[in-house]
Amino acid sequence: MLRNSLTGKQKSFLRSLGQKLEPVVMMGKEGVTPTVVEAAREAIKKRELIKVRVLQNCMEEPEDAITMLAERADVNLVQIIGRNGLLYKRNFDKPKIELP
């Protein structure tokens, strides 16, 4: 279930941080597989904010694939631009990003 608990100001702040990030999770021909979901969860747990890229050979539309990944990984979808998406979930044990 997609949790949309971020305000506009918080999303804007996260987008500014996301500009410098390189994609850490790539979705290929298989689309949103359990392996991709698990990789996203692990990366989010460590970093809180990750960039996801849908490769050219993916059969699904990038927007649909990124939205589905956010729902299955239970994270906030910050933005989608082209084939890239920005995902965020706060780590309550060791927070790294302080939201405004």
Side-chain angles (χ1 to χ4, degrees), residues 15-100:
R15 281 195 296 265
S16 71
L17 293 176
Q19 287 179 349
K20 303 175 204 110
L21 295 178
E22 290 295 318
V24 291
V25 177
M26 310 281 188
M27 279 186 272
K29 184 170 48 173
E30 302 293 319
V32 184
T33 62
T35 308
V36 171
V37 173
E38 191 56 39
R41 282 188 184 143
E42 289 298 315
I44 286 248
K45 195 182 294 182
K46 290 179 184 148
R47 303 174 185 221
E48 290 187 324
L49 183 68
I50 63 168
K51 192 178 274 189
V52 178
R53 175 167 291 153
V54 179
L55 300 176
Q56 293 284 342
N57 63 353
C58 185
M59 301 299 175
E60 301 171 39
E61 286 297 313
E63 191 171 328
D64 297 337
I66 294 169
T67 304
M68 188 185 307
L69 176 63
E71 289 172 2
R72 290 186 181 173
D74 192 31
V75 298
N76 288 303
L77 177 59
V78 178
Q79 81 174 5
I80 298 173
I81 295 180
R83 296 188 157 274
N84 294 324
L86 205 56
L87 304 178
Y88 171 78
K89 183 174 185 180
R90 183 156 194 244
N91 184 341
F92 290 101
D93 298 332
K94 298 177 188 171
K96 291 185 179 4
I97 299 171
E98 190 64 41
L99 291 176

